Amino acid sequence: MSAILLAMVTFFSTLLGGLAGIRYRTYLYVLMGFTAGVLVGVVVFDLLPEIFQLVSKLQLDITGPMLALMLGFLVFHIVEKTTLIHFSHENNYAVHSHPLVGLISAIALSCHSFLDGVGIGLGFQVNTATGIMVAIAVIAHDFSDGLNTVTLMIVNKNTSRRAFFLLLLDAITPTLGAISTLFFTIPDSLLVLYLGFFAGFLLYIGASDILPQAHSEKSSALTVLLTVVGAAFIFLVTRFV
């Protein structure tokens, strides 16, 4: 039940990101710096230690989880680059804008958000602390997902009404993903692979996607500082959760 409640928070995070994307887009880059620090912090201070602990407890080879981490990083890199779902490069493709492109891209982001919810649910299958850390990471980066959903729709000449409808779809899917994990469980030997895969995903999103976005228009000392603050925030949270 905790997984579902925290997944529901992502609804508001995504919604706020989308609404901010409509009205205050030019002021969001410093916040993205903080978000990137949060995501990378979750990987370094929570997911990796949890992986090492499970590997030791189950007497597994660390190679499997590390391969899963690399796979998670590369899969999302390949998917993003082959489908051109990348906010910071949208201006390069503006001449090819078409409503259907925006629609397909926004639906793809919603599918990705569904998996975010699954990630929260599986995190709680590991333990409560890991579930909370994964939820914090998802809540933080779903703000950017909401922003990206709206931007992809509007740049590709969709109406604001249609963009808002797709924003709502993107906002509700993490909760649906978390609910789905109530109907299945994964053994510890596979959960450690999931943690590796999800760590690779968060590492990619934070370091290779959101952080470049934060510096894409105007790099500033404040953005850099907030990235450090985001990582430090997770470090402190992991000491008390």
Side-chain angles (χ1 to χ4, degrees), residues 72-145:
F73 187 96
L74 291 176
V75 163
F76 285 96
H77 170 71
I78 292 168
V79 168
E80 183 185 62
K81 297 309 177 186
T82 54
T83 57
L84 299 180
I85 302 175
H86 198 296
F87 172 74
S88 65
H89 293 302
E90 275 303 304
N91 290 334
N92 297 335
Y93 300 95
V95 294
H96 304 294
S97 61
H98 190 279
L100 183 59
V101 173
L103 184 62
I104 292 174
S105 300
I107 290 174
L109 283 173
S110 295
C111 293
H112 153 76
S113 293
F114 178 87
L115 295 177
D116 282 347
V118 172
I120 293 174
L122 292 181
F124 274 94
Q125 287 189 23
V126 176
N127 56 55
T128 301
T130 297
I132 291 173
M133 286 298 99
V134 170
I136 289 174
V138 170
I139 290 167
H141 105 259
D142 273 10
F143 182 91
S144 296
D145 271 2

Side-chain angles (χ1 to χ4, degrees), residues 210-231:
I210 295 179
L211 195 58
Q213 288 183 43
H215 294 276
S216 61
E217 291 199 3
K218 183 181 179 181
S219 187
S220 69
L222 179 58
T223 303
V224 174
L225 176 61
L226 285 178
T227 302
V228 175
V229 170

Side-chain angles (χ1 to χ4, degrees), residues 36-216:
V38 167
L39 298 188
V40 176
V42 167
V43 172
V44 174
F45 300 126
D46 184 72
L47 294 184
L48 286 179
E50 188 64 42
I51 288 171
F52 298 145
Q53 183 176 345
L54 280 174
V55 164
S56 176
K57 174 184 175 183
L58 301 174
Q59 297 184 327
L60 300 174
D61 186 351
I62 191 63
T63 303
M66 292 300 99
L67 285 174
L69 187 151
M70 193 74 257
L71 182 64
F73 187 96
L74 291 176
V75 163
F76 285 96
H77 170 71
I78 292 168
V79 168
E80 183 185 62
K81 297 309 177 186
T82 54
T83 57
L84 299 180
I85 302 175
H86 198 296
F87 172 74
S88 65
H89 293 302
E90 275 303 304
N91 290 334
N92 297 335
Y93 300 95
V95 294
H96 304 294
S97 61
H98 190 279
L100 183 59
V101 173
L103 184 62
I104 292 174
S105 300
I107 290 174
L109 283 173
S110 295
C111 293
H112 153 76
S113 293
F114 178 87
L115 295 177
D116 282 347
V118 172
I120 293 174
L122 292 181
F124 274 94
Q125 287 189 23
V126 176
N127 56 55
T128 301
T130 297
I132 291 173
M133 286 298 99
V134 170
I136 289 174
V138 170
I139 290 167
H141 105 259
D142 273 10
F143 182 91
S144 296
D145 271 2
L147 169 64
N148 288 347
T149 298
V150 167
T151 302
L152 285 165
M153 290 291 288
I154 292 177
V155 164
N156 285 286
K157 300 183 178 180
N158 285 278
T159 63
S160 296
R161 181 178 180 181
R162 181 178 289 184
F164 184 72
F165 176 78
L166 266 295
L167 174 63
L168 288 178
L169 176 65
D170 189 33
I172 195 66
T173 47
T175 302
L176 299 178
I179 291 173
S180 74
T181 63
L182 297 177
F183 302 100
F184 66 90
T185 56
I186 296 180
D188 288 347
S189 58
L190 293 181
L191 272 176
V192 72
L193 295 179
Y194 146 74
L195 287 176
F197 185 85
F198 199 70
F201 157 68
L202 290 183
L203 191 61
Y204 178 79
I205 293 295
S208 297
D209 189 82
I210 295 179
L211 195 58
Q213 288 183 43
H215 294 276
S216 61

